[in-house]
Amino acid sequence: MQGFTIRRVVEDTTPLRDFLMKDMGISRKMLTLVKHEGKIEVNGIHRTVRHELERGDEVVVTFPNESPSPHMTVSNRPIRILYEDDSLLAVDKPAGIATIPSRLHPTDTLANAVLGHYARIGLSSTVHVVNRLDRDTSGVVLFAKSGFIHHRLSELQKTNRLTRTYVALVEKEVSPQTIDAPIGRAEGSIMERTVTESGQHAVTHILDCQNFNRDFLLTIRLETGRTHQIRVHLRHIGHPLIGDSMYGGANRMLRHALHSASARFIHPLTDEEVSIEAPLPQDFRYT
């Protein structure tokens, strides 16, 4: 069975292999899969990647059909959909649920719930998570409905063309600034991270700080995506998240006050700008 299909019109003479990889954004690994299990056509005729394209040719690539992992359990947990089309899904993740299955949370995760949504709409696909959030972080999580879209969105993330904005609650005012401090695993801990010279490069931009009830609401953009990055960097500058017991935050919420508020990117198929927003969660308003 064949699955996801994309088509493009050629603008200049070029080898088909180059067009598939450079213009259509198909990775080398995925191209090998398409050659063996999918279909590549030029003007309706099957062609090998050695074919020379001419201006005006139409290239159609059909990817192999995907199937969900047999090890993943379908969950009927409801999801709040922020955006959906034939290739993308964006969900407003609640706090207290893991993004993907793990040893501690093997079944009732956001990914399991998305698999349940796919079953309800008749989509046979692997669950491709584009961005993960900590269990107690809420907000926008993106899912790609095919391996090709997942690859394209991952490439956008690497080059900061998929931007995600977070909001966070702290007790004291913080001036807008950039925190450039490497993050690594804290000594003697599996989960905790810390700023350390031996850590990985990590950059956090605090864009704005506003009064919010008796606290302060920060708007934050990540340049890198290290584990617990915002939480670690805010502790590093002396402003831990409210509710973040691991990193010294005030014990005034049942979870750390961090929310993935928005995601913006150019759609990998339509080239149109997509802007997705998740409303501020209720527990932020009653700290």
Side-chain angles (χ1 to χ4, degrees):
M1 183 184 296
Q2 301 300 309
F4 185 70
T5 298
I6 57 174
R7 61 185 66 229
R8 290 284 190 275
V9 175
V10 179
E11 296 184 356
D12 296 295
T13 300
T14 183
L16 178 55
R17 181 192 296 274
D18 291 351
F19 185 79
L20 293 170
M21 297 180 68
K22 295 178 182 178
D23 292 78
M24 299 185 79
I26 301 174
S27 68
R28 188 179 303 276
K29 179 180 179 181
M30 192 165 294
L31 182 55
T32 299
L33 184 66
V34 170
K35 287 194 295 183
H36 289 93
E37 300 180 32
K39 189 163 52 174
I40 302 170
E41 295 175 303
V42 179
N43 301 327
I45 301 172
H46 173 76
R47 297 293 189 184
T48 69
V49 295
R50 295 186 297 274
H51 180 75
E52 192 73 17
L53 296 173
E54 301 292 338
R55 179 182 175 86
D57 285 347
E58 182 185 56
V59 177
V60 178
V61 179
T62 305
F63 295 88
N65 193 55
E66 296 186 13
S67 298
S69 168
H71 305 294
M72 275 195 70
T73 303
V74 173
S75 168
N76 291 320
R77 172 191 282 267
I79 57 174
R80 182 177 182 181
I81 297 174
L82 300 171
Y83 174 91
E84 185 172 22
D85 61 24
D86 289 342
S87 55
L88 293 170
L89 173 69
V91 176
D92 188 0
K93 174 188 170 301
I97 177 175
T99 302
I100 61 173
S102 66
R103 182 178 59 83
L104 294 176
H105 308 284
T107 57
D108 190 24
T109 73
L110 188 63
N112 296 104
V114 166
L115 189 61
H117 172 68
Y118 286 175
R120 288 190 292 274
I121 65 175
L123 174 65
S124 177
S125 177
T126 303
V127 177
H128 299 282
V129 184
V130 178
N131 67 297
R132 301 179 189 179
L133 298 179
D134 292 343
R135 188 170 185 268
D136 284 336
T137 301
S138 57
V140 179
V141 178
L142 295 173
F143 293 87
K145 292 183 177 179
S146 71
F148 169 73
I149 296 297
H150 188 221
H151 169 72
R152 293 296 303 275
L153 291 175
S154 296
E155 290 298 306
L156 291 179
Q157 284 200 116
K158 291 176 184 176
T159 55
N160 288 318
R161 289 178 293 164
L162 192 166
T163 59
R164 288 182 287 126
T165 302
Y166 292 78
V167 292
L169 274 180
V170 295
E171 290 194 299
K172 297 180 181 180
E173 187 173 7
V174 182
S175 59
Q177 61 188 278
T178 293
I179 307 168
D180 187 344
I183 292 175
R185 195 185 303 273
E187 186 175 353
S189 175
I190 296 175
M191 291 295 298
E192 187 178 352
R193 301 301 196 266
T194 189
V195 169
T196 172
E197 291 183 1
S198 62
Q200 293 179 295
H201 177 61
V203 178
T204 301
H205 302 284
I206 300 176
L207 305 177
D208 188 40
C209 178
Q210 296 183 1
N211 287 296
F212 189 82
N213 298 329
R214 55 176 169 159
D215 300 305
F216 292 89
L217 186 70
L218 306 182
T219 302
I220 296 170
R221 181 173 60 81
L222 292 180
E223 188 172 313
T224 55
R226 308 306 176 199
T227 299
H228 297 178
Q229 179 172 319
I230 291 174
R231 301 165 64 190
V232 173
H233 273 173
L234 288 178
R235 179 183 68 172
H236 179 64
I237 65 171
H239 295 278
L241 291 170
I242 291 173
D244 194 349
S245 58
M246 179 176 288
Y247 295 108
N251 186 25
R252 291 170 41 208
M253 283 181 69
L254 297 177
R255 54 105 170 195
H256 56 249
L258 185 62
H259 178 69
S260 176
S262 68
R264 289 178 174 82
F265 54 93
I266 300 299
H267 196 289
L269 292 186
T270 67
D271 291 330
E272 296 178 351
E273 184 175 7
V274 178
S275 180
I276 300 166
E277 296 186 358
L280 200 66
Q282 287 297 316
D283 59 356
F284 268 49
R285 304 179 187 277
Y286 301 106
T287 56

PDB file of all heavy atoms in Angstrom, residues 206-232:
ATOM      1  N   ILE A 206      15.432  35.716  27.133  1.00  0.00           N
ATOM      2  CA  ILE A 206      14.288  36.275  27.852  1.00  0.00           C
ATOM      3  C   ILE A 206      13.884  37.545  27.116  1.00  0.00           C
ATOM      4  O   ILE A 206      14.613  38.541  27.116  1.00  0.00           O
ATOM      5  CB  ILE A 206      14.628  36.567  29.316  1.00  0.00           C
ATOM      6  CG1 ILE A 206      15.051  35.269  30.023  1.00  0.00           C
ATOM      7  CG2 ILE A 206      13.426  37.196  30.033  1.00  0.00           C
ATOM      8  CD1 ILE A 206      15.490  35.474  31.466  1.00  0.00           C
ATOM      9  N   LEU A 207      12.727  37.501  26.472  1.00  0.00           N
ATOM     10  CA  LEU A 207      12.310  38.586  25.581  1.00  0.00           C
ATOM     11  C   LEU A 207      11.530  39.682  26.299  1.00  0.00           C
ATOM     12  O   LEU A 207      11.578  40.851  25.901  1.00  0.00           O
ATOM     13  CB  LEU A 207      11.447  38.018  24.445  1.00  0.00           C
ATOM     14  CG  LEU A 207      12.066  36.880  23.625  1.00  0.00           C
ATOM     15  CD1 LEU A 207      11.055  36.389  22.601  1.00  0.00           C
ATOM     16  CD2 LEU A 207      13.350  37.326  22.950  1.00  0.00           C
ATOM     17  N   ASP A 208      10.789  39.290  27.352  1.00  0.00           N
ATOM     18  CA  ASP A 208       9.890  40.258  27.977  1.00  0.00           C
ATOM     19  C   ASP A 208       9.585  39.816  29.401  1.00  0.00           C
ATOM     20  O   ASP A 208       9.640  38.613  29.718  1.00  0.00           O
ATOM     21  CB  ASP A 208       8.588  40.363  27.167  1.00  0.00           C
ATOM     22  CG  ASP A 208       7.685  41.479  27.648  1.00  0.00           C
ATOM     23  OD1 ASP A 208       8.216  42.551  27.981  1.00  0.00           O
ATOM     24  OD2 ASP A 208       6.463  41.274  27.702  1.00  0.00           O
ATOM     25  N   CYS A 209       9.266  40.799  30.251  1.00  0.00           N
ATOM     26  CA  CYS A 209       8.873  40.526  31.631  1.00  0.00           C
ATOM     27  C   CYS A 209       7.739  41.467  31.997  1.00  0.00           C
ATOM     28  O   CYS A 209       7.889  42.694  31.906  1.00  0.00           O
ATOM     29  CB  CYS A 209      10.072  40.715  32.573  1.00  0.00           C
ATOM     30  SG  CYS A 209       9.685  40.471  34.325  1.00  0.00           S
ATOM     31  N   GLN A 210       6.593  40.887  32.383  1.00  0.00           N
ATOM     32  CA  GLN A 210       5.419  41.700  32.707  1.00  0.00           C
ATOM     33  C   GLN A 210       4.877  41.345  34.083  1.00  0.00           C
ATOM     34  O   GLN A 210       4.957  40.190  34.513  1.00  0.00           O
ATOM     35  CB  GLN A 210       4.317  41.486  31.663  1.00  0.00           C
ATOM     36  CG  GLN A 210       4.667  41.931  30.258  1.00  0.00           C
ATOM     37  CD  GLN A 210       3.506  41.746  29.300  1.00  0.00           C
ATOM     38  OE1 GLN A 210       2.427  41.304  29.690  1.00  0.00           O
ATOM     39  NE2 GLN A 210       3.711  42.103  28.045  1.00  0.00           N
ATOM     40  N   ASN A 211       4.305  42.352  34.756  1.00  0.00           N
ATOM     41  CA  ASN A 211       3.605  42.088  36.012  1.00  0.00           C
ATOM     42  C   ASN A 211       2.441  41.154  35.749  1.00  0.00           C
ATOM     43  O   ASN A 211       1.706  41.323  34.765  1.00  0.00           O
ATOM     44  CB  ASN A 211       3.081  43.396  36.605  1.00  0.00           C
ATOM     45  CG  ASN A 211       4.195  44.229  37.187  1.00  0.00           C
ATOM     46  OD1 ASN A 211       4.848  43.832  38.142  1.00  0.00           O
ATOM     47  ND2 ASN A 211       4.421  45.389  36.606  1.00  0.00           N
ATOM     48  N   PHE A 212       2.277  40.171  36.624  1.00  0.00           N
ATOM     49  CA  PHE A 212       1.199  39.200  36.458  1.00  0.00           C
ATOM     50  C   PHE A 212       0.695  38.844  37.853  1.00  0.00           C
ATOM     51  O   PHE A 212       1.340  38.085  38.575  1.00  0.00           O
ATOM     52  CB  PHE A 212       1.709  37.956  35.721  1.00  0.00           C
ATOM     53  CG  PHE A 212       0.634  36.994  35.325  1.00  0.00           C
ATOM     54  CD1 PHE A 212      -0.114  37.191  34.174  1.00  0.00           C
ATOM     55  CD2 PHE A 212       0.348  35.886  36.121  1.00  0.00           C
ATOM     56  CE1 PHE A 212      -1.113  36.308  33.820  1.00  0.00           C
ATOM     57  CE2 PHE A 212      -0.642  35.001  35.769  1.00  0.00           C
ATOM     58  CZ  PHE A 212      -1.384  35.210  34.607  1.00  0.00           C
ATOM     59  N   ASN A 213      -0.462  39.412  38.218  1.00  0.00           N
ATOM     60  CA  ASN A 213      -0.951  39.292  39.585  1.00  0.00           C
ATOM     61  C   ASN A 213       0.136  39.776  40.540  1.00  0.00           C
ATOM     62  O   ASN A 213       0.620  40.881  40.406  1.00  0.00           O
ATOM     63  CB  ASN A 213      -1.410  37.859  39.881  1.00  0.00           C
ATOM     64  CG  ASN A 213      -2.578  37.442  38.988  1.00  0.00           C
ATOM     65  OD1 ASN A 213      -3.388  38.276  38.587  1.00  0.00           O
ATOM     66  ND2 ASN A 213      -2.664  36.157  38.679  1.00  0.00           N
ATOM     67  N   ARG A 214       0.597  38.950  41.438  1.00  0.00           N
ATOM     68  CA  ARG A 214       1.668  39.369  42.354  1.00  0.00           C
ATOM     69  C   ARG A 214       3.046  38.902  41.873  1.00  0.00           C
ATOM     70  O   ARG A 214       4.055  39.117  42.549  1.00  0.00           O
ATOM     71  CB  ARG A 214       1.406  38.820  43.759  1.00  0.00           C
ATOM     72  CG  ARG A 214       1.220  37.300  43.795  1.00  0.00           C
ATOM     73  CD  ARG A 214       1.051  36.797  45.221  1.00  0.00           C
ATOM     74  NE  ARG A 214       0.616  35.403  45.251  1.00  0.00           N
ATOM     75  CZ  ARG A 214       0.773  34.610  46.308  1.00  0.00           C
ATOM     76  NH1 ARG A 214       1.374  35.062  47.391  1.00  0.00           N
ATOM     77  NH2 ARG A 214       0.330  33.377  46.275  1.00  0.00           N
ATOM     78  N   ASP A 215       3.090  38.263  40.701  1.00  0.00           N
ATOM     79  CA  ASP A 215       4.335  37.691  40.187  1.00  0.00           C
ATOM     80  C   ASP A 215       4.727  38.349  38.865  1.00  0.00           C
ATOM     81  O   ASP A 215       4.225  39.410  38.515  1.00  0.00           O
ATOM     82  CB  ASP A 215       4.175  36.173  40.002  1.00  0.00           C
ATOM     83  CG  ASP A 215       3.838  35.476  41.304  1.00  0.00           C
ATOM     84  OD1 ASP A 215       4.597  35.659  42.270  1.00  0.00           O
ATOM     85  OD2 ASP A 215       2.810  34.758  41.351  1.00  0.00           O
ATOM     86  N   PHE A 216       5.625  37.690  38.123  1.00  0.00           N
ATOM     87  CA  PHE A 216       6.091  38.225  36.851  1.00  0.00           C
ATOM     88  C   PHE A 216       6.048  37.124  35.790  1.00  0.00           C
ATOM     89  O   PHE A 216       6.477  35.995  36.031  1.00  0.00           O
ATOM     90  CB  PHE A 216       7.521  38.778  36.987  1.00  0.00           C
ATOM     91  CG  PHE A 216       7.585  40.003  37.850  1.00  0.00           C
ATOM     92  CD1 PHE A 216       7.762  39.889  39.225  1.00  0.00           C
ATOM     93  CD2 PHE A 216       7.432  41.268  37.298  1.00  0.00           C
ATOM     94  CE1 PHE A 216       7.804  41.015  40.034  1.00  0.00           C
ATOM     95  CE2 PHE A 216       7.473  42.400  38.092  1.00  0.00           C
ATOM     96  CZ  PHE A 216       7.653  42.280  39.460  1.00  0.00           C
ATOM     97  N   LEU A 217       5.496  37.480  34.640  1.00  0.00           N
ATOM     98  CA  LEU A 217       5.351  36.539  33.527  1.00  0.00           C
ATOM     99  C   LEU A 217       6.439  36.826  32.497  1.00  0.00           C
ATOM    100  O   LEU A 217       6.493  37.915  31.926  1.00  0.00           O
ATOM    101  CB  LEU A 217       3.972  36.683  32.894  1.00  0.00           C
ATOM    102  CG  LEU A 217       3.608  35.670  31.807  1.00  0.00           C
ATOM    103  CD1 LEU A 217       3.393  34.289  32.420  1.00  0.00           C
ATOM    104  CD2 LEU A 217       2.350  36.113  31.052  1.00  0.00           C
ATOM    105  N   LEU A 218       7.306  35.845  32.271  1.00  0.00           N
ATOM    106  CA  LEU A 218       8.392  35.978  31.309  1.00  0.00           C
ATOM    107  C   LEU A 218       7.987  35.388  29.967  1.00  0.00           C
ATOM    108  O   LEU A 218       7.315  34.349  29.912  1.00  0.00           O
ATOM    109  CB  LEU A 218       9.647  35.255  31.802  1.00  0.00           C
ATOM    110  CG  LEU A 218      10.187  35.609  33.189  1.00  0.00           C
ATOM    111  CD1 LEU A 218      11.468  34.819  33.458  1.00  0.00           C
ATOM    112  CD2 LEU A 218      10.435  37.098  33.316  1.00  0.00           C
ATOM    113  N   THR A 219       8.415  36.033  28.886  1.00  0.00           N
ATOM    114  CA  THR A 219       8.303  35.475  27.540  1.00  0.00           C
ATOM    115  C   THR A 219       9.696  35.057  27.116  1.00  0.00           C
ATOM    116  O   THR A 219      10.633  35.865  27.156  1.00  0.00           O
ATOM    117  CB  THR A 219       7.726  36.498  26.549  1.00  0.00           C
ATOM    118  OG1 THR A 219       6.448  36.926  27.014  1.00  0.00           O
ATOM    119  CG2 THR A 219       7.585  35.885  25.162  1.00  0.00           C
ATOM    120  N   ILE A 220       9.827  33.805  26.705  1.00  0.00           N
ATOM    121  CA  ILE A 220      11.148  33.206  26.492  1.00  0.00           C
ATOM    122  C   ILE A 220      11.197  32.501  25.138  1.00  0.00           C
ATOM    123  O   ILE A 220      10.236  31.837  24.740  1.00  0.00           O
ATOM    124  CB  ILE A 220      11.463  32.188  27.614  1.00  0.00           C
ATOM    125  CG1 ILE A 220      11.549  32.910  28.965  1.00  0.00           C
ATOM    126  CG2 ILE A 220      12.742  31.419  27.324  1.00  0.00           C
ATOM    127  CD1 ILE A 220      11.623  31.970  30.151  1.00  0.00           C
ATOM    128  N   ARG A 221      12.332  32.629  24.460  1.00  0.00           N
ATOM    129  CA  ARG A 221      12.573  31.874  23.231  1.00  0.00           C
ATOM    130  C   ARG A 221      13.875  31.103  23.376  1.00  0.00           C
ATOM    131  O   ARG A 221      14.887  31.648  23.823  1.00  0.00           O
ATOM    132  CB  ARG A 221      12.640  32.787  22.010  1.00  0.00           C
ATOM    133  CG  ARG A 221      12.860  32.025  20.693  1.00  0.00           C
ATOM    134  CD  ARG A 221      12.762  32.941  19.486  1.00  0.00           C
ATOM    135  NE  ARG A 221      13.744  34.004  19.508  1.00  0.00           N
ATOM    136  CZ  ARG A 221      15.027  33.845  19.131  1.00  0.00           C
ATOM    137  NH1 ARG A 221      15.470  32.663  18.717  1.00  0.00           N
ATOM    138  NH2 ARG A 221      15.857  34.866  19.165  1.00  0.00           N
ATOM    139  N   LEU A 222      13.843  29.844  22.991  1.00  0.00           N
ATOM    140  CA  LEU A 222      15.033  28.999  23.052  1.00  0.00           C
ATOM    141  C   LEU A 222      15.804  29.053  21.739  1.00  0.00           C
ATOM    142  O   LEU A 222      15.215  28.978  20.668  1.00  0.00           O
ATOM    143  CB  LEU A 222      14.657  27.545  23.343  1.00  0.00           C
ATOM    144  CG  LEU A 222      14.089  27.233  24.723  1.00  0.00           C
ATOM    145  CD1 LEU A 222      13.774  25.753  24.819  1.00  0.00           C
ATOM    146  CD2 LEU A 222      15.050  27.647  25.801  1.00  0.00           C
ATOM    147  N   GLU A 223      17.113  29.154  21.852  1.00  0.00           N
ATOM    148  CA  GLU A 223      17.972  29.024  20.674  1.00  0.00           C
ATOM    149  C   GLU A 223      18.492  27.598  20.548  1.00  0.00           C
ATOM    150  O   GLU A 223      18.802  27.117  19.462  1.00  0.00           O
ATOM    151  CB  GLU A 223      19.137  30.007  20.768  1.00  0.00           C
ATOM    152  CG  GLU A 223      19.985  30.090  19.513  1.00  0.00           C
ATOM    153  CD  GLU A 223      20.998  31.211  19.573  1.00  0.00           C
ATOM    154  OE1 GLU A 223      20.615  32.339  19.959  1.00  0.00           O
ATOM    155  OE2 GLU A 223      22.171  30.966  19.231  1.00  0.00           O
ATOM    156  N   THR A 224      18.616  26.916  21.690  1.00  0.00           N
ATOM    157  CA  THR A 224      19.003  25.504  21.730  1.00  0.00           C
ATOM    158  C   THR A 224      17.940  24.760  22.538  1.00  0.00           C
ATOM    159  O   THR A 224      17.074  25.375  23.150  1.00  0.00           O
ATOM    160  CB  THR A 224      20.378  25.335  22.394  1.00  0.00           C
ATOM    161  OG1 THR A 224      20.354  25.950  23.689  1.00  0.00           O
ATOM    162  CG2 THR A 224      21.475  25.970  21.550  1.00  0.00           C
ATOM    163  N   GLY A 225      18.011  23.445  22.553  1.00  0.00           N
ATOM    164  CA  GLY A 225      16.970  22.669  23.218  1.00  0.00           C
ATOM    165  C   GLY A 225      17.522  21.613  24.156  1.00  0.00           C
ATOM    166  O   GLY A 225      17.290  20.426  23.942  1.00  0.00           O
ATOM    167  N   ARG A 226      18.217  22.027  25.196  1.00  0.00           N
ATOM    168  CA  ARG A 226      18.774  21.084  26.167  1.00  0.00           C
ATOM    169  C   ARG A 226      17.723  20.672  27.194  1.00  0.00           C
ATOM    170  O   ARG A 226      16.773  21.404  27.451  1.00  0.00           O
ATOM    171  CB  ARG A 226      19.987  21.701  26.888  1.00  0.00           C
ATOM    172  CG  ARG A 226      21.042  22.270  25.971  1.00  0.00           C
ATOM    173  CD  ARG A 226      21.522  21.275  24.945  1.00  0.00           C
ATOM    174  NE  ARG A 226      22.483  21.884  24.023  1.00  0.00           N
ATOM    175  CZ  ARG A 226      22.786  21.384  22.841  1.00  0.00           C
ATOM    176  NH1 ARG A 226      22.213  20.267  22.426  1.00  0.00           N
ATOM    177  NH2 ARG A 226      23.668  21.983  22.065  1.00  0.00           N
ATOM    178  N   THR A 227      17.935  19.519  27.797  1.00  0.00           N
ATOM    179  CA  THR A 227      17.025  19.032  28.829  1.00  0.00           C
ATOM    180  C   THR A 227      16.925  20.043  29.966  1.00  0.00           C
ATOM    181  O   THR A 227      17.947  20.501  30.493  1.00  0.00           O
ATOM    182  CB  THR A 227      17.517  17.681  29.378  1.00  0.00           C
ATOM    183  OG1 THR A 227      17.557  16.730  28.314  1.00  0.00           O
ATOM    184  CG2 THR A 227      16.589  17.166  30.472  1.00  0.00           C
ATOM    185  N   HIS A 228      15.688  20.413  30.332  1.00  0.00           N
ATOM    186  CA  HIS A 228      15.411  21.343  31.443  1.00  0.00           C
ATOM    187  C   HIS A 228      16.050  22.715  31.227  1.00  0.00           C
ATOM    188  O   HIS A 228      16.297  23.440  32.198  1.00  0.00           O
ATOM    189  CB  HIS A 228      15.910  20.768  32.776  1.00  0.00           C
ATOM    190  CG  HIS A 228      15.238  19.501  33.198  1.00  0.00           C
ATOM    191  ND1 HIS A 228      15.585  18.820  34.359  1.00  0.00           N
ATOM    192  CD2 HIS A 228      14.251  18.766  32.617  1.00  0.00           C
ATOM    193  CE1 HIS A 228      14.834  17.735  34.467  1.00  0.00           C
ATOM    194  NE2 HIS A 228      14.024  17.678  33.425  1.00  0.00           N
ATOM    195  N   GLN A 229      16.280  23.104  29.987  1.00  0.00           N
ATOM    196  CA  GLN A 229      17.091  24.307  29.731  1.00  0.00           C
ATOM    197  C   GLN A 229      16.549  25.565  30.409  1.00  0.00           C
ATOM    198  O   GLN A 229      17.303  26.272  31.095  1.00  0.00           O
ATOM    199  CB  GLN A 229      17.214  24.552  28.226  1.00  0.00           C
ATOM    200  CG  GLN A 229      18.033  25.799  27.895  1.00  0.00           C
ATOM    201  CD  GLN A 229      18.333  25.938  26.418  1.00  0.00           C
ATOM    202  OE1 GLN A 229      18.640  24.951  25.759  1.00  0.00           O
ATOM    203  NE2 GLN A 229      18.239  27.143  25.891  1.00  0.00           N
ATOM    204  N   ILE A 230      15.280  25.871  30.205  1.00  0.00           N
ATOM    205  CA  ILE A 230      14.725  27.090  30.804  1.00  0.00           C
ATOM    206  C   ILE A 230      14.791  27.021  32.323  1.00  0.00           C
ATOM    207  O   ILE A 230      15.182  27.994  32.992  1.00  0.00           O
ATOM    208  CB  ILE A 230      13.278  27.308  30.327  1.00  0.00           C
ATOM    209  CG1 ILE A 230      13.253  27.661  28.836  1.00  0.00           C
ATOM    210  CG2 ILE A 230      12.594  28.410  31.142  1.00  0.00           C
ATOM    211  CD1 ILE A 230      11.856  27.750  28.242  1.00  0.00           C
ATOM    212  N   ARG A 231      14.453  25.882  32.882  1.00  0.00           N
ATOM    213  CA  ARG A 231      14.453  25.717  34.332  1.00  0.00           C
ATOM    214  C   ARG A 231      15.852  25.907  34.912  1.00  0.00           C
ATOM    215  O   ARG A 231      16.041  26.581  35.933  1.00  0.00           O
ATOM    216  CB  ARG A 231      13.898  24.337  34.685  1.00  0.00           C
ATOM    217  CG  ARG A 231      12.477  24.114  34.186  1.00  0.00           C
ATOM    218  CD  ARG A 231      12.070  22.654  34.216  1.00  0.00           C
ATOM    219  NE  ARG A 231      12.049  22.143  35.584  1.00  0.00           N
ATOM    220  CZ  ARG A 231      11.916  20.855  35.872  1.00  0.00           C
ATOM    221  NH1 ARG A 231      11.795  19.949  34.890  1.00  0.00           N
ATOM    222  NH2 ARG A 231      11.906  20.457  37.130  1.00  0.00           N
ATOM    223  N   VAL A 232      16.837  25.328  34.263  1.00  0.00           N
ATOM    224  CA  VAL A 232      18.225  25.432  34.739  1.00  0.00           C
ATOM    225  C   VAL A 232      18.758  26.853  34.590  1.00  0.00           C
ATOM    226  O   VAL A 232      19.385  27.401  35.499  1.00  0.00           O
ATOM    227  CB  VAL A 232      19.119  24.432  33.983  1.00  0.00           C
ATOM    228  CG1 VAL A 232      20.595  24.642  34.337  1.00  0.00           C
ATOM    229  CG2 VAL A 232      18.717  23.002  34.298  1.00  0.00           C
TER     230      VAL A 232
END
